[in-house]
Amino acid sequence: MNEYENLSHTTWSCKYHVVFIPKYRKKTLFGTLKKELGAIFHKLAGQKESKIEEGHVMEDHVHMMISIPPKFAVSHVIGYIKGKSAIHIARTFEGKQRNYVGHHFWARGDFVSTVGRDEKLIREYIRNQEKEDKRLDQLLLTK
């Protein structure tokens, strides 16, 4: 695996840990929707010349490590992924054929952190997020 990517005049490695949630943090990301979201996210990232390196869809939030070329703003790529996936969800799962004003699936805002030298640690964190959430829930129940 090559650590660096190349553009015509640039060599780069720009990876980000991103977390975002559905509106009102509703637990809506399950079943068929959860299975389909991964493919949708990968396709949309590819359209912005980006690549999702790791990802995990929980029932109330999404974690991903994404590689974004320096010619794109992180907020632009994440906004594009959230916006286009919301349109797909509305059409596929909610039966809407048009984009209605005021219809939003994802909450405004997101968490973004640069990966840097902690890439291995962040990959592990994303892979084990579901197990860790269940462990923390069990700890809270015993208190």
Side-chain angles (χ1 to χ4, degrees):
M1 182 170 109
N2 190 3
E3 187 176 339
Y4 298 102
E5 302 284 334
N6 292 306
L7 295 171
S8 60
H9 300 285
T10 308
T11 301
W12 59 278
S13 176
C14 302
K15 295 178 183 170
Y16 305 92
H17 177 206
V18 179
V19 181
F20 53 91
I21 63 172
K23 194 151 188 138
Y24 310 117
R25 201 161 183 131
K26 290 183 178 177
K27 297 184 184 301
T28 56
L29 304 176
F30 56 86
T32 309
L33 177 58
K34 180 177 179 174
K35 291 175 186 172
E36 201 170 307
L37 275 178
I40 294 167
F41 290 153
H42 282 278
K43 180 180 175 187
L44 292 171
Q47 291 174 359
K48 289 295 179 184
E49 301 175 40
S50 302
K51 182 180 179 197
I52 297 175
E53 305 274 339
E54 288 287 333
H56 194 80
V57 179
M58 302 287 289
E59 63 183 16
D60 66 346
H61 64 284
V62 175
H63 278 273
M64 67 174 66
M65 184 170 71
I66 185 169
S67 178
I68 301 173
K71 66 182 183 177
F72 292 114
V74 176
S75 60
H76 176 75
V77 174
I78 300 305
Y80 179 81
I81 290 171
K82 287 170 64 177
K84 294 296 183 183
S85 65
I87 291 169
H88 178 78
I89 291 166
R91 288 184 179 164
T92 306
F93 294 97
E94 297 174 3
K96 297 183 179 176
Q97 296 302 314
R98 295 185 173 188
N99 300 334
Y100 295 99
V101 176
H103 177 76
H104 301 281
F105 184 80
W106 302 108
R108 290 181 61 196
D110 44 62
F111 167 82
V112 177
S113 174
T114 55
V115 171
R117 298 284 180 203
D118 297 328
E119 181 177 342
K120 184 177 178 184
L121 181 69
I122 291 171
R123 283 180 185 269
E124 276 302 308
Y125 175 76
I126 291 171
R127 284 185 194 133
N128 297 319
Q129 181 65 36
E130 198 160 5
K131 293 177 203 167
E132 185 64 17
D133 276 0
K134 287 178 183 175
R135 188 183 72 79
L136 290 174
D137 287 344
Q138 289 298 317
L139 287 175
L140 292 175
L141 290 175
T142 58
K143 287 185 178 183

